[in-house]
Amino acid sequence: MTGMALMLTPVPHGWAVTLTDGRELARFVGPFARQRALRFLSSLTAAS
């Protein structure tokens, strides 16, 4: 994944983990969506 970064992006009723080119990796909606998205994001960055 050269030249790309991961971002946390607000979406209707939740949050999404996206690449800088706009592709969405995962979407989390509902209660505690931001916390679940942050946990997913940290698991991706810890693996690399």
Side-chain angles (χ1 to χ4, degrees), residues 6-9 15-19 23-28 36-38 40-41 44:
L6 297 166
M7 303 183 304
L8 192 61
T9 308
W15 293 86
V17 176
T18 58
L19 297 173
R23 289 184 288 171
E24 191 174 296
L25 297 178
R27 182 177 287 222
F28 300 89
R36 289 181 300 169
L38 286 170
F40 178 78
L41 185 60
L44 290 177

